[in-house]
Amino acid sequence: MEYNRRKFISFLGKASLGTVMIPPFITSCGNTATPVVSEKLSEKDIEKLKSRILKSLLPSDKDDLLLADGLNYHTIVKWNDKISEKDTFGFNNDFTCFIPLDKDNPKDGLLWVNHEYINPLFVSGFNDKKHKESGQQRTITQVDKEMYNVGGSIVRIKEDDNGKWNVVKNDIYNRRITAKTPIELNWDTPIKGKTTVIGTLANCSGGITPWNTFLTCEENYDGFFGETHYDENNVATKEPSNYYDWEKFYDYPPEHYGWVVEINPKDGSAQKHVALGRFSHECCTLYELEDKRIVAYSGDDKNNEHLYKFISSKPGSLKEGILYVADTINGKWLALDWENQPILKEKFKNQTEVLIRAREAAKLLGATELNRPEDIEIDPITGHILVSLTNNKSKDDFHGSIFKIEETNGAFDALTFKSSTYIAGGEKNGFSCPDNLAFDLSGNLWLTSDMSGSAMNKEDGPYMPFKNNSLFVIPRYGNDAGKVIRVASAPKDAELTGPWFSPDGKTLFLSVQHPGEQTVDLKNPTSKWPFDADNIPKPAVVAIQGELIEKMNKLSQLYV
Ligand code: FEO
Ligand code: CA
Ligand code: CA
């Protein structure tokens, strides 16, 4: 759909004129901020803030984390940093989520960080191309090192008087969850004979629960322990991954991965939520209804896969309830409910099998194929659900779009909805391949792009005009309303992920993932960011601050 900026601005304007909808609880993959600005601004402050110009960065292929005027950053923690006597920070950080230890002190709390996958060259020294050509295989020591570097980290961080966030080294809460950590299944039936499984991996984006625990989502799990495929006669074949070779040492079934995992920040205990289905979960965005039942949205980030929502039948439960999948053509949520769907009863043995093979069940019900649904945010002003559809090259969609769901009567547990394109990627709007989303205190939308490292900056390729992956903001009010403004540009080969605002809205936590990913020779890396003494690229989490964020947080007061 052609993006119409005038229509878009008028939509934003209308939203701002109506009653501001502040849901009782609103948290999701990129944001804990509630759109309330309590500080009253003076006329003078308003004029001063209005005079500050938002200046977009130009696309850049420079190997650095570049920021727009009015922003600065410092690195909080990077790969291999010691976080305790026994643990180090993992690789390829993605989703971040900050929960204050004391809700009245926004400057001291626990930061969760996903570690999605590893680059063997950096982590275990296994050179995929060179070693595989010579027939060499990973040793178990190398595999163990790789398995340690995925999953997630919990680190206690504090903001000092100068605004700098520091890791509290050796804090009792600092810990790692890895591909070796035992994790319970929140389900009554064992899966492949187990009620506790080993490890979490492919942890891409995530979410937060109303009871203040972290959600981490297992996305491209098939790259680690393969996948089970079924033919037309429903006969299963296990297809190995052959990518990391972990299966050669550890015989864990694919069915133990591809779930939403909940982590208790205080003790690191974890559980996998089977009721939310098994697929390449990008994120999990929760909404708590007035009666405390939970609605959970999650996208399956694979070409031609689907968008799901779980509605719990009991307060605070991520187990009792029904998983639905979106038919966006007819605006219906279709129940993945074995008991009441004869077509599912015919193919699957029971509800557990429906949930394990959610993709097949969704297709049987007539779910709509989407262009790789990634991050999901609930607009704090309108209550609309925004879903990044990053791209689908198999359908010639190179630049993706942000998709909008409007639940009937604004009820998150509605079974019907309207959908439309919120904004399309492409040269006209200045961004491509939207991925993570976050709203700030004024309800401005921040988004990151995820053009793949191998496709970026290729002459004559579709991504050339956009240069390096970036962070953008779409102001909601004022002269720039609806414009896509580039506010950060990533180092070479990197992707900016996991944007999450601190509770006071003044810091944007952001992951810089896979800088120098295209490196083939450690002595000559394609990136050296963050430019530390080791002279190699390192994934890291940064804190972005500055007057541009402050202005954006107050934008609603300047123009409404
Ligand atoms: Fe790991 Fe869909 O990004
Ligand atoms: Ca992502
Ligand atoms: Ca992505």
Side-chain angles (χ1 to χ4, degrees), residues 308 325 336 343-344 348 353-355 357-367:
Y308 297 80
V325 65
L336 287 125
I343 196 168
L344 299 183
F348 304 105
E353 200 182 15
V354 166
L355 295 166
R357 296 166 66 187
R359 285 174 170 163
E360 291 170 82
K363 286 189 177 5
L364 275 178
L365 294 175

Side-chain angles (χ1 to χ4, degrees), residues 245-301:
D245 298 331
W246 296 2
E247 302 145 293
K248 297 199 170 100
F249 299 97
Y250 298 98
D251 185 22
Y252 301 147
E255 289 78 3
H256 287 176
Y257 311 97
W259 304 106
V260 174
V261 188
E262 182 179 351
I263 310 282
N264 181 331
K266 296 279 177 71
D267 63 9
S269 59
Q271 50 179 328
K272 297 199 180 192
H273 292 301
V274 173
L276 273 54
R278 177 174 168 270
F279 45 88
S280 291
H281 284 276
E282 169 76 20
C283 76
C284 189
T285 303
L286 263 50
Y287 186 89
E288 186 182 55
L289 299 166
E290 260 175 57
D291 61 7
K292 308 279 184 203
R293 284 180 304 120
I294 304 296
V295 178
Y297 295 92
S298 189
D300 186 353
D301 182 8

Side-chain angles (χ1 to χ4, degrees), residues 342-538:
I343 196 168
L344 299 183
K345 253 185 174 163
E346 220 172 275
K347 173 126 183 169
F348 304 105
K349 287 195 289 285
N350 49 39
Q351 182 65 15
T352 306
E353 200 182 15
V354 166
L355 295 166
I356 291 172
R357 296 166 66 187
R359 285 174 170 163
E360 291 170 82
K363 286 189 177 5
L364 275 178
L365 294 175
T368 310
E369 293 184 347
L370 296 171
N371 293 354
R372 293 187 49 202
E374 295 229 45
D375 207 357
I376 301 170
E377 279 294 326
I378 299 170
D379 184 321
I381 309 286
T382 63
H384 298 156
I385 297 105
L386 299 188
V387 183
S388 282
L389 300 179
T390 199
N391 63 54
N392 186 344
K393 289 163 199 162
S394 77
K395 289 192 172 162
D396 288 334
D397 175 7
F398 292 95
H399 301 301
S401 61
I402 298 175
F403 189 64
K404 184 177 77 181
I405 300 263
E406 294 173 65
E407 300 281 21
T408 301
N409 299 325
F412 291 91
D413 57 347
L415 297 183
T416 55
F417 61 88
K418 276 199 311 194
S419 64
S420 55
T421 296
Y422 184 72
I423 185 168
E427 274 193 74
K428 198 171 153 200
N429 287 325
F431 73 98
S432 182
C433 307
D435 191 342
N436 298 127
L437 307 172
F439 284 99
D440 62 25
L441 291 176
S442 258
N444 304 297
L445 180 62
W446 299 66
L447 65 127
T448 63
S449 66
D450 178 14
M451 299 171 286
S452 81
S454 56
M456 256 188 298
N457 294 306
K458 291 281 179 300
E459 288 292 347
D460 304 326
Y463 301 114
M464 191 60 196
F466 305 95
K467 299 201 174 167
N468 288 4
N469 275 315
S470 292
L471 169 74
F472 303 86
V473 64
I474 307 180
R476 191 160 207 136
Y477 314 95
N479 301 334
D480 295 318
K483 282 187 194 160
V484 182
I485 297 172
R486 185 185 298 250
V487 290
S489 173
K492 277 237 194 268
D493 307 339
E495 175 191 358
L496 302 175
T497 56
W500 187 277
F501 284 99
S502 60
D504 59 12
K506 291 181 178 171
T507 298
L508 178 65
F509 300 114
L510 188 72
S511 279
V512 178
Q513 196 186 159
H514 55 73
E517 189 180 41
Q518 302 296 311
T519 299
V520 288
D521 176 3
L522 279 179
K523 291 199 192 77
N524 190 21
T526 57
S527 168
K528 290 191 177 172
W529 190 91
F531 309 115
D532 72 4
D534 293 338
N535 243 356
I536 54 163
K538 289 180 183 174

Side-chain angles (χ1 to χ4, degrees), residues 37 41 45-55 69-71 440-444 446 473 475-480 485 505-506 545-559:
V37 182
L41 295 175
D45 288 341
I46 289 176
E47 282 320 304
K48 204 170 132 202
L49 282 168
K50 273 190 172 174
S51 69
R52 285 184 192 148
I53 309 291
L54 274 179
K55 201 163 157 251
D69 283 350
L71 292 177
D440 62 25
L441 291 176
S442 258
N444 304 297
W446 299 66
V473 64
R476 191 160 207 136
Y477 314 95
N479 301 334
D480 295 318
I485 297 172
K506 291 181 178 171
Q545 298 167 327
E547 61 179 26
L548 194 153
I549 292 185
E550 306 244 355
K551 172 168 176 163
M552 297 313 289
N553 280 330
K554 288 169 182 158
L555 214 57
S556 59
Q557 289 188 73
L558 304 184
Y559 294 101

